[in-house]
Amino acid sequence: MPSIPLVAELGAKSDEFQDLLNKSKIPATVAKKSRIIMTPEELFSEQDSRIFVRCRPIIPHDNEAMGNKSIVQKVPDHRDLILMCPKVSLSGDCSIEPSVVSLDGTFCGAEDTTERVYFESCSPLVNFSVDGATTCVLCYGQTGSGKTFTTSGIFRFVTEDLAPYFNTHDIFLTVVEIQASKNVDLLTGNEVQVFEDVSGELKLQGSEPFECSSAEFLHAAFEEAASLRTTKATDRNETSSRSHMITRISIVSKESRWAKPGDFFIVDLAGSENTADSATHDKTRQVETKFINTSLMTLKDCIRSRALAGTSSQHLHIPYRRSPLTLLLRDCFEIAVRRPTKTVMIACVSPLLRDSRHTINTLRYASLLAVTPPAKVIAADPDDPNNFSREQALDFLYDISKKMLTDPEAVLPEGDGRTLVHIPEGEFIRRVMDTHGTIGEKKAKMIYTSLWKRVVDARTKGRKVMTNAKKLGKGPRCAK
Ligand SMILES: Nc1ncnc2c1ncn2[C@@H]1O[C@H](COP(=O)(O)OP(=O)(O)OP(=O)(O)O)[C@@H](O)[C@H]1O
């Protein structure tokens, strides 16, 4: 990644640089280095993560001449970005040096609409999620660079593509805002705690997934939630989002109701601001900025460790438990996951010369994802009660009760192993005692303990399998 002049130099020579930039052309030798765009089908055939850049057009709020050229350019129908980088020589001469930044796709200006961004970067993710994968679109970038504009547009196209599935699938929406002080479910207003339960399942306590009966309903619910998000004016954006917004669409097949749902995450990250941007903010705002930058740093650490873990034989810790943001997205960072994962990072950047530093930092951050190898899918453990079919779960109950539970369906009236594991202890004991007169509280508790022993054993075994997969640095390729 090229280095660029200091902020003071950029400011002092801004007119000279802009003049040079407006006159500059992409040299044929540089243009030749940019590779042809990939088709949506090619995107995820060999890699699970893809990285794109979207450079917004100049907008009136920028107070810039609308005809000014952008520092981010591309060769039409080519994927790599051409960065028109400002340079100052030791003798003080200014120049614009074009360089190629390797990416999976570049979108520039008003001509590259959100529809195009969606189609060329993340449209295949919808079908992956319908088939049970975890997919994620993350928008990262400087405040005012177009993250909210892009995520809300993408959400609209995802909803349209999901429309045919409302007959065959139950579709749920969860929208969580992660703020400095708390996490809030934007659909219910409840405070949300994010944690992993003893079985290793991710929990969003306080959050209520919202069942949506149609694409229109899904879109309206998202719009309503997004309108409640915390925004404040910053120097760079009148309505800057001062929180991360994680939208999860869970897609559950109606035919196999108890199969694990597919999840489509759309993440609008809070805008990164540097110290200069927030210098005029009050103390609360500075705390907020610190929180945002720290959580973005954790996200960066997770992305970096994930990339390194995939290419080295060393065991690397991926610190996703350090922040609710990364904990919620943990499947995207695990080197070995239980179901296929696909991630798209859209780095949003500004076209302005004065934002060159931010733009380079955003590109550096985003390019960490570019080396990510495919995650390895760990086959579901057949001994883990979480993975039992309904029949297996009923037989299991009968066995662990030493054949005392003659009517296991009374304890598990519907659902499979996963449902069984998630019956709270008090409820489990009540169901056993109410339906089996011969079983007292002590015995009912023993049955519950036996059930959980199997869950904990499976979890310990699962951890060992994951650690070995990471150590080996090889394993089965992602199926989808
Ligand atoms: N591709 C685009 N085309 C036209 N206008 C855009 C585009 N991208 C962003 N904008 C405009 O730029 C402004 C800032 O965009 P947006 O609020 O999406 O930025 P952001 O990155 O989410 O900022 P923050 O991090 O501060 O929330 C908005 O007025 C938005 O309409």
Side-chain angles (χ1 to χ4, degrees), residues 250-324:
S250 297
I251 306 154
V252 191
S253 164
K254 288 189 203 223
E255 269 174 27
S256 47
R257 247 176 93 214
W258 306 106
K260 277 198 173 184
D263 282 322
F264 194 123
F265 285 96
I266 302 181
V267 184
D268 182 2
L269 293 164
S272 52
E273 280 186 272
N274 61 25
T275 327
D277 291 333
S278 59
T280 54
H281 293 171
D282 62 25
K283 220 167 173 151
T284 323
R285 290 289 298 281
Q286 286 183 3
V287 169
E288 202 174 63
T289 303
K290 194 170 164 213
F291 161 78
I292 291 169
N293 289 345
T294 310
S295 56
L296 290 175
M297 195 65 76
T298 304
L299 178 64
K300 183 178 181 171
D301 289 345
C302 290
I303 292 171
R304 181 185 282 147
S305 305
R306 164 78 174 84
L308 290 174
T311 51
S312 108
S313 54
Q314 267 183 305
H315 172 64
L316 275 159
H317 171 62
I318 302 176
Y320 59 77
R321 292 189 182 91
R322 252 194 242 155
S323 98

Side-chain angles (χ1 to χ4, degrees), residues 61-266:
H61 186 69
D62 293 330
N63 287 326
E64 284 269 328
M66 294 308 249
N68 275 349
K69 273 199 184 169
S70 163
I71 63 157
V72 171
Q73 298 184 16
K74 68 168 190 177
V75 181
D77 296 329
H78 285 59
R79 72 172 104 144
D80 297 314
L81 176 148
I82 315 287
L83 190 66
M84 306 301 272
C85 198
K87 287 262 165 208
V88 185
S89 70
L90 286 175
S91 55
D93 294 336
C94 298
S95 62
I96 295 289
E97 277 186 19
S99 61
V100 178
V101 181
S102 293
L103 294 163
D104 297 312
T106 305
F107 305 99
C108 289
E111 320 76 83
D112 285 342
T113 58
T114 306
E115 183 170 11
R116 182 167 195 177
V117 174
Y118 170 70
F119 181 73
E120 289 181 12
S121 70
C122 48
S123 54
L125 299 187
V126 171
N127 282 339
F128 285 128
S129 323
V130 170
D131 289 345
T134 302
T135 62
C136 180
V137 179
L138 286 154
C139 278
Y140 171 82
Q142 173 191 5
T143 175
S145 56
K147 299 178 295 297
T148 306
F149 186 92
T150 303
T151 41
S152 52
I154 285 177
F155 190 90
R156 186 158 47 87
F157 292 110
V158 171
T159 344
E160 281 174 17
D161 280 356
L162 274 176
Y165 295 105
F166 280 84
N167 292 330
T168 51
H169 292 72
D170 291 322
I171 298 189
F172 300 86
L173 177 71
T174 309
V175 187
V176 177
E177 180 183 37
I178 300 183
Q179 303 172 4
S181 50
K182 57 183 177 182
N183 313 315
V184 179
D185 181 328
L186 289 177
L187 289 166
T188 60
N190 293 343
E191 196 168 330
V192 178
Q193 305 294 333
V194 185
F195 61 93
E196 288 169 303
D197 71 9
V198 279
S199 68
E201 186 132 335
L202 193 63
K203 290 276 164 202
L204 273 77
Q205 198 176 60
S207 166
E208 216 30 75
F210 197 65
E211 185 162 3
C212 299
S213 51
S214 67
E216 294 72 32
F217 203 91
L218 177 63
H219 191 242
F222 170 79
E223 294 272 290
E224 170 82 15
S227 70
L228 299 173
R229 190 177 174 196
T230 315
T231 61
K232 283 173 195 158
T234 61
D235 289 350
R236 314 310 308 269
N237 188 2
E238 281 163 1
T239 51
S240 179
S241 319
R242 307 315 298 145
S243 59
H244 308 295
M245 187 170 92
I246 303 191
T247 305
R248 181 172 75 184
I249 306 173
S250 297
I251 306 154
V252 191
S253 164
K254 288 189 203 223
E255 269 174 27
S256 47
R257 247 176 93 214
W258 306 106
K260 277 198 173 184
D263 282 322
F264 194 123
F265 285 96
I266 302 181

